[in-house]
Amino acid sequence: MTAKTQLRPVDSYTAQEIMEIAQRAEWRRGDGFLVPPASVPLYVEAVKALARERARG
């Protein structure tokens, strides 16, 4: 049995955490784990843009 992680509000993630999520999505592109493979490029760009916004403060 796997333990579920607690859901967090979107605004609680740091820019670094968001960028790491985007990187994991890129690495798992072929798996379709996070989103369908065809949607990965759009998802990754959106998450990276959010990370850049968060980093600007």
Side-chain angles (χ1 to χ4, degrees):
M1 179 184 271
T2 60
K4 289 188 177 183
T5 57
Q6 287 287 346
L7 293 178
R8 291 172 54 187
V10 173
D11 61 352
S12 73
Y13 288 89
T14 66
Q16 181 61 37
E17 288 172 319
I18 294 168
M19 189 58 74
E20 289 169 4
I21 291 168
Q23 289 169 343
R24 281 195 305 273
E26 285 180 311
W27 295 330
R28 294 179 137 184
R29 163 174 265 149
D31 297 343
F33 183 72
L34 283 171
V35 294
S39 300
V40 169
L42 177 60
Y43 176 82
V44 168
E45 286 307 310
V47 172
K48 284 180 177 180
L50 179 58
R52 286 189 298 269
E53 277 296 311
R54 187 67 49 88
R56 280 189 238 157

